[in-house]
Amino acid sequence: MDETTKVPALCRVLVVLLGILVTLFGLALLVGGVRLVQLGGSWYFLLMGAVSAVAGVLLVMRRPNGALLYGLAFVATLLWALVDAGWEFWPLVSRLVMPAVLALLVALAWPVLRRSRGQVAGRGAYGVAAVLLVGLLATAVSAFQPRPVQTAQGTTPPVVPVAKGAEQRDWMHWGNTTAGTRFAALDQITPANVKELQVAWTAHTGDVPESNGFGAEDQNTPLQIGDTLYLCTPHNQVIAIDADSGKQRWAFDPKATAPNWQRCRGLGYFDATTAPAVAAAPAPAPLPAMETTGTAPALCEKRILMTSIDARLFALDAKTGALCPDFGSNGVVDLKTGMGEIKPGFYTLTAAPLVAGELIVVGGRVADNIEVGEPSGVVRAYNVRTGALAWVWDLSKETPDVPLDPSIHYTRATPNVWTSMAYDPQLGLVYLPTGNTTPDQWAGERTPQDDKYSSAVVALDAATGKERWVYQTVHHDLWDYDLPAQPTLTDVPDGKGGTLPALLQITKAGQIFMLNRQTGVPISEVRDIPAPQGNAEGERYAATQPLSVGLPQIGAQTLTESDMWGATPIDQMLCRIQFKQFRYDGMYTPPGEDLALQWPGSLGGMNWGSASVDPTTGYLFVNDMRLGLWTKLIPRAQMTSGAGGVEMGAASQTGTPYGSLRDRFLSKLGIPCQKPPFGTMSAINLATRQLVWQVPVGTVKDTGPMGIKMGLPIPIGMPTLGGSLATQSGLLFFAGTQDYYLRAYDSRTGEEVWKARMPVGSQGTPMTYVSPKTGRQYVVISAGGARQSPDRGDYVIAYALPERR
């Protein structure tokens, strides 16, 4: 009897199918590997592809040598992976899991192959298969374990109890204070009891952002004044709710609309009964509306301020929600005044107004990349009682603190301030984080004033608007590295037993600048490094760029081919091919007519959510996203009509020699091409200026390849967008992930100590308060949906410890 008849027909078919699978795997690596070698990349994929293809053909022919050949190739792959990636878990997963699965199947096929050739079955292969299976199962289990990038070493700082009488009373500003600390001096909820947190109440705003891929998220952080929360919705509705129940007290709808823009990040608050820390403007004459009758409170004695997506400034009575008739024109100031022509969607307000003493300071977002000559990036201050214009800072002027003649429009197309500002009442300074003159990727027509003020921190005298100092973080910005975050004001040790007044500015380029907020001089070292040069005709390039080397750089390493990643070796190889096709000279690689890689991308690094700081430990907390971009300038004659100015894709840049094209650096599966993590939370000791801990943030539970939700809480670390909240009890709360969780970390170690599932994701920043009625501490988050998720909602959720009866 022929020995092959002893092998069941099904087994023979399965071996043939396995051979076809290995052959296809090999051919894919071979074809891609040839291209990668042509580009000067790794030879591994070509060689592995060739060997695997031959092994697959032999398996189809049911020859045992096919299994031996693939086994040798897998051993070589294991050795190559360790050399190429080291002992990092996720890079090894990308290189080894798929080849290991094939090796397991080949090992199981070995006895069949032997019998089909009339040989002894060789059951030792089952032992090899068992080892591979255990390794794969261990990898699968290990994938669910968090992997800190850096863990806290040594003794952790002690928790400092909140002194009696020093407890936080109100959350009065977007960042809690005008210093933008996002820190609460509260300690009722601690790392020891945080696991007991539960939903205390849920409110619905009725305003669900429409997921249109651009500018449609709920990024609001509520204010808390006494027993009332004040929040705004994506369409600028303002709602007051009871701090203990979430029940609505009043609502105001300004009927605000803007093309492709639904967003409100926060509100301002002013109490006329409390003298401002600094008289930021001459006191106006007493107004009838502010007078009191008997013991009844005056109309708009306490007022809520809001800027809208259609460029208006509102003042509302905090008690009733009614417009304040003594402010502007019946409670409204038109921010389009003096701006000249504004096309629909070209000028919107995207940050909470800054209340600085008796002034409201506002900037504005100017649409990116559509055309030259867009609206002005002017910054203006208004009297908080009357709405009268107090001062103007027009960045085009040689002395930009001098207000313009009312009959003259503000200078068009200047750098703008689209994010939140900070204010130091003791120094009397307002700090502006500026953007850059649009368009982003072409700057040949920018003026010397544009180049001076783009992507810079500017300190102005709060009372007059006069400039005190300027510090630029990017020279001649061609990367959309405008400053996206509110400066954080805190005091840091000077090394001599005293402190220095510091300003910490985080950037999209993964940099953290520590400046003396009184003088603008760097406290931590900043080094000018030679900058890569481009060759786009008509453009000029900065010779050097500032690099903040005195503090940790977050996600700003120079990428190499070995940093490329993918769920499988095939898409990792395709990412390597993309990487080798790009012109890439490290950070600040300028755009040109060829494909260029920008890392970090303009969506990456740190963004508008800003930092938080715990002054009791001296720790600064920053979260980031790690998404590279590929960019290309397109000569004007080659630009197709219909290109807009959205964040990604083709942008017209009308009025310049080039349009532009840019997109995220992703694999064919829609996964970032560089190795994980794709988003982290980091703690930095401001005394030592060292990284204390860094952990991946977010899982793939609610996202995945090609946008398919994996449903698996694998903590790979996803891109983050939103801010964090630090409390004096040693907790750090954060929700700005791609999965639907509010998390709490031990702020001294980075350990995740609690998380709560939300109905949808959030891009809001958590806030906290103690109710003056019940004495309960609440943590509140606004949840309207995560950036890349289609799921949207209108939730405001409060968490608290169980009531003790």
Side-chain angles (χ1 to χ4, degrees), residues 35-345:
R35 179 58 178 151
L36 184 57
V37 169
Q38 290 174 340
L39 294 169
S42 170
W43 279 77
Y44 161 77
F45 296 90
L46 186 156
L47 296 175
M48 179 63 178
V51 172
S52 295
V54 172
V57 170
L58 292 174
L59 289 172
V60 170
M61 299 170 65
R62 301 201 302 278
R63 294 189 177 181
N65 286 344
L68 291 174
L69 186 59
Y70 185 82
L72 289 173
F74 176 72
V75 172
T77 293
L78 178 62
L79 296 175
W80 167 80
L82 291 173
V83 171
D84 193 54
W87 290 96
E88 290 188 69
F89 179 79
W90 288 112
L92 289 177
V93 166
S94 174
R95 290 160 174 78
L96 294 177
V97 166
M98 186 175 183
V101 170
L102 292 176
L104 168 64
L105 297 176
V106 168
L108 292 174
W110 174 255
V112 176
L113 292 169
R114 296 272 297 179
R115 287 198 300 268
S116 69
R117 311 303 296 181
Q119 300 171 350
V120 178
R123 299 183 182 278
Y126 291 136
V128 174
V131 171
L132 289 169
L133 180 60
V134 169
L136 288 168
L137 290 175
T139 300
V141 172
S142 185
F144 290 86
Q145 306 305 310
R147 282 184 167 72
V149 180
Q150 180 164 320
T151 56
Q153 303 294 321
T155 304
T156 58
V159 171
V160 178
V162 178
K164 187 175 181 180
E167 302 91 348
Q168 173 180 302
R169 300 296 182 186
D170 298 293
W171 187 289
M172 298 176 61
H173 302 273
W174 179 67
N176 194 10
T177 68
T178 58
T181 59
R182 275 156 284 277
F183 169 78
L186 297 174
D187 57 7
Q188 186 181 122
I189 301 170
T190 70
N193 64 24
V194 67
K195 288 184 171 61
E196 300 178 42
L197 277 185
Q198 59 189 26
V199 174
W201 53 258
T202 300
H204 294 271
T205 68
D207 186 5
V208 179
E210 300 170 10
S211 183
N212 59 7
F214 180 77
E217 298 97 10
D218 182 357
Q219 297 178 342
N220 166 66
T221 300
L223 304 183
Q224 171 261 328
I225 312 297
D227 63 356
T228 306
L229 294 187
Y230 301 93
L231 54 99
C232 59
T233 72
H235 290 94
N236 292 128
Q237 297 173 29
V238 183
I239 300 174
I241 60 178
D242 182 272
D244 282 296
S245 67
K247 292 182 180 178
Q248 182 174 303
R249 289 182 168 171
W250 56 256
F252 170 79
D253 187 354
K255 308 296 183 184
T257 60
N260 298 322
W261 197 265
Q262 309 159 45
R263 190 171 291 166
C264 181
R265 292 192 173 116
L267 303 165
Y269 173 75
F270 176 74
D271 185 349
T273 66
T274 303
V278 171
L287 297 170
M290 297 302 300
E291 295 175 352
T292 61
T293 301
T295 59
L299 178 64
C300 288
E301 201 170 58
K302 300 178 181 180
R303 53 186 64 191
I304 300 296
L305 294 311
M306 179 187 68
T307 52
S308 67
I309 53 179
D310 55 3
R312 291 179 287 168
L313 172 61
F314 295 85
L316 307 174
D317 188 307
K319 184 176 182 180
T320 66
L323 287 164
C324 298
D326 57 349
F327 183 87
S329 176
N330 194 31
V332 184
V333 170
D334 186 357
L335 298 177
K336 296 184 290 296
T337 301
M339 297 291 286
E341 180 189 15
I342 298 179
K343 297 178 181 178

Side-chain angles (χ1 to χ4, degrees), residues 6 22 39 78 88 93 105 163 187 251 294 322 328 341 356 489 514 527 550 581 600 617 628 671 743 803:
K6 297 180 180 180
V22 173
L39 294 169
L78 178 62
E88 290 188 69
V93 166
L105 297 176
D187 57 7
E341 180 189 15
L489 313 183
M514 182 193 288
R527 188 178 300 162
Q581 287 176 322
T617 61
I671 301 170
R743 291 178 169 86
E803 290 187 90

Side-chain angles (χ1 to χ4, degrees), residues 448-526:
Q449 292 296 98
D450 291 338
D451 274 340
K452 176 181 178 181
Y453 292 111
S454 289
S455 303
V457 182
V458 182
L460 302 181
D461 184 282
T464 65
K466 291 184 180 295
E467 178 186 309
R468 292 283 188 86
W469 55 260
V470 181
Y471 186 86
Q472 190 168 61
T473 63
V474 181
H475 302 322
H476 198 66
D477 189 352
L478 299 172
W479 303 272
D480 193 18
Y481 279 158
D482 53 358
L483 294 184
Q486 182 182 33
T488 302
L489 313 183
T490 190
D491 294 339
V492 299
D494 63 1
K496 303 174 183 178
T499 61
L500 292 171
L503 177 149
L504 292 142
Q505 181 65 60
I506 59 176
T507 79
K508 293 180 180 179
Q511 307 295 300
I512 306 171
F513 291 88
M514 182 193 288
L515 311 176
N516 185 310
R517 65 177 182 268
Q518 186 170 11
T519 65
V521 175
I523 296 173
S524 61
E525 183 184 0
V526 178

